Amino acid sequence: MKIVVLDGYCENPGDLSWEGLEKFGALTVYDRTPFEQEEIIRRISDADAVITNKTPISAHTLFSCPNVKYIGMLSTGFNVVDVSAARERGIPVSNVPSYGTDVVAQFAIALLLEICHHIGHHSDAVAEGRWENNPDYCFWDYLLIELAGKTMGIIGFGRIGQAVGKIAAAMGMKIIAYDKQINDAGNAIARYVTMDELLSQSDVISLHCPLLPSTQGIINKDTIGRMKNGVIIINNSRGQLIVEQDLAEALNSNKVYAAGVDVVSAEPIKKGNPLLGAKNCFITPHISWAAKESRSRLMNIAVDNLRAFINGEPVNVVD
Ligand code: NAD
């Protein structure tokens, strides 16, 4: 069996092993593949199994590569694959669900704690000698914020949202949540509220819903206008949940005190993105998922997915 990984670098920049996939046949791993159909076709035309993270697999690509029998994702999301075209050709597409719930939740809290304490900034200031030369025994450059007693509103209270809620509750925050679906596990952590109540009551709003037509641009001029003055917004879900121009204006006018985002509307971020340079906006390069532990888990599930396909019983098949 010929197996091609189209874009393996982010999953395994060298600290993990591909040997799990190698066991199943002749493996070719490309760090990256240009998003040009002809090049993608050239690389997978004789492959039996294709593994991709962000490289698109279109209907035309599948038509041009009749040997392909299996597509494995190196991610939870699978929107880069034309799944209906794959289904028509009898090709299962397997994704990797929930390999990183805890670490993505941890990262949302890390963004929030950075906004509350600016540890990186203060550590740099000490390294630069500012403490040695300080007239007092301490100094700080930003407002420092205590979270206990404040209200966190979580939009999208699924696996990651609930994990964030548990950590925030442990820090003494009151948790309210808005979700289309209410469940018992969520009820044990938070009080479910309407979107209106969440917007008007929250000191911190954290986004954990998927990108859907109903959630695209959910944070915009109108919803920001209904938030408390000085609210903090956290987003490590999907960039397009936020109308970035509206958030940038709200940050610059102090309506929103600060934002921590690990995702933006177009990635990698483009020069000219309004959040670049917006006041108190902390941006990280889509790394919430990328702890070695979660990448390792992702690799193991991708290997299990291919094994299940080879054994004739594909698992984690999306549609
Ligand atoms: P999940 O499916 O367990 O939870 C999503 C929740 O959102 C569900 O409870 C669902 O009912 C709710 N929802 C759907 N539509 C909604 C709407 N219109 N309004 C309010 N809630 C709505 O998913 P999860 O595992 O918790 O992941 C959440 C998101 O996190 C993913 O969709 C993905 O975008 C993002 N994510 C980001 C990273 C990263 O590295 N930055 C990594 C993994 C996941």
Side-chain angles (χ1 to χ4, degrees):
M1 159 173 277
K2 282 200 163 191
I3 308 157
V4 174
V5 177
L6 280 170
D7 49 1
Y9 188 81
C10 288
E11 161 61 14
N12 177 14
D15 55 356
L16 299 177
S17 163
W18 294 108
E19 68 185 11
L21 291 177
E22 254 157 14
K23 278 190 272 175
F24 300 122
L27 176 70
T28 305
V29 178
Y30 294 101
D31 277 349
R32 304 168 186 88
T33 293
F35 290 5
E36 286 152 18
Q37 207 149 233
E38 292 320 307
E39 183 58 14
I40 296 167
I41 292 169
R42 197 185 67 72
R43 292 187 176 191
I44 65 172
S45 56
D46 62 348
D48 300 285
V50 177
I51 314 286
T52 182
N53 184 345
K54 297 283 180 274
T55 307
I57 312 275
S58 68
H60 175 71
T61 298
L62 291 174
F63 177 78
S64 307
C65 304
N67 198 48
V68 172
K69 301 168 190 68
Y70 169 82
I71 298 172
M73 302 304 307
L74 284 175
S75 60
T76 309
F78 49 86
N79 55 302
V80 299
V81 176
D82 189 327
V83 175
S84 61
R87 194 187 312 114
E88 275 170 29
R89 306 185 75 82
I91 301 170
V93 180
S94 292
N95 77 336
V96 181
S98 64
Y99 61 90
T101 299
D102 289 327
V103 79
V104 177
Q106 177 182 317
F107 199 90
I109 298 293
L111 286 169
L112 177 57
L113 292 178
E114 174 65 17
I115 288 166
C116 293
H117 299 292
H118 302 270
I119 287 174
H121 168 86
H122 288 109
S123 175
D124 288 348
V126 172
E128 284 160 13
R130 281 186 50 204
W131 201 11
E132 291 159 42
N133 302 316
N134 201 57
D136 305 308
Y137 78 98
C138 69
F139 71 94
W140 59 91
D141 289 337
Y142 288 89
L143 179 71
L144 302 175
I145 300 169
E146 180 179 79
L147 290 168
K150 294 202 168 54
T151 298
M152 173 178 279
I154 299 178
I155 301 178
F157 208 45
R159 284 174 294 230
I160 296 171
Q162 291 186 11
V164 168
K166 281 186 201 161
I167 304 171
M171 294 194 298
M173 298 189 80
K174 294 175 200 148
I175 315 298
I176 57 177
Y178 170 72
D179 198 300
K180 296 269 181 210
Q181 286 170 352
I182 293 178
N183 62 39
D184 290 345
N187 258 321
I189 304 161
R191 183 167 66 83
Y192 283 98
V193 294
T194 62
M195 185 67 157
D196 262 344
E197 193 174 345
L198 185 138
L199 293 173
S200 64
Q201 300 294 310
S202 302
D203 300 295
V204 178
I205 294 181
S206 198
L207 305 179
H208 299 289
C209 52
L211 177 63
L212 299 167
S214 60
T215 59
Q216 182 159 3
I218 200 167
I219 301 301
N220 57 44
K221 206 179 181 77
D222 168 57
T223 50
I224 291 171
R226 289 189 270 152
M227 294 175 193
K228 277 187 180 178
N229 292 336
V231 64
I232 293 170
I233 296 177
I234 303 295
N235 181 21
N236 67 348
S237 197
R238 285 293 176 262
Q240 289 170 49
L241 299 177
I242 294 178
V243 179
E244 289 167 338
Q245 184 63 40
D246 293 354
L247 177 58
E249 284 170 19
L251 285 162
N252 291 335
S253 71
N254 299 328
K255 166 71 192 180
V256 173
Y257 169 67
V261 301
D262 183 48
V263 286
V264 293
S265 56
E267 296 174 353
I269 198 164
K270 305 274 177 299
K271 217 176 173 179
N273 183 307
L275 294 180
L276 282 171
K279 208 164 153 189
N280 276 347
C281 190
F282 296 82
I283 309 174
T284 49
H286 202 144
I287 53 172
S288 299
W289 68 286
K292 189 175 179 190
E293 291 86 347
S294 56
R295 286 185 292 108
S296 177
R297 218 174 289 126
L298 194 158
M299 179 75 87
N300 292 340
I301 299 171
V303 169
D304 290 346
N305 283 350
L306 182 56
R307 182 185 300 108
F309 165 73
I310 291 168
N311 291 340
E313 287 180 18
V315 293
N316 294 322
V317 177
V318 301
D319 49 21

